[in-house]
Amino acid sequence: DNATDNATDKLSKTQKKILRFIEKDNQISTNQIAMKLGLAKSTVSRNIRTLKQGGFLKREGKEKTGIWVIIKK
């Protein structure tokens, strides 16, 4: 759908990659994403925060045992 396509067009390459990793493994940790991308954990955390604020992503459950839920693709 065009609204969703336009929304994801505004995401950075890093944010799109983060969403792809989460799509493949909804239990992936911020540390694991950081290692796969070769970025600092703080960079990944900041991008995840932006994705949450933008309504693309949410976390369900506890921090250690929860899962990521992609709201918009």
Side-chain angles (χ1 to χ4, degrees), residues 11-52:
L11 297 178
S12 71
K13 286 182 183 176
T14 299
Q15 291 164 346
K16 289 178 183 177
K17 286 178 184 176
I18 289 170
L19 285 176
R20 278 198 293 272
F21 283 128
I22 289 171
E23 206 169 30
K24 290 179 186 170
D25 177 5
N26 67 357
Q27 293 182 309
I28 195 167
S29 71
T30 306
N31 278 336
Q32 289 170 314
I33 295 170
M35 285 192 315
K36 288 176 184 262
L37 292 176
L39 297 171
K41 184 183 175 200
S42 59
T43 302
V44 173
S45 294
R46 186 175 60 249
N47 280 282
I48 286 175
R49 191 167 45 253
T50 301
L51 288 167
K52 284 177 170 178

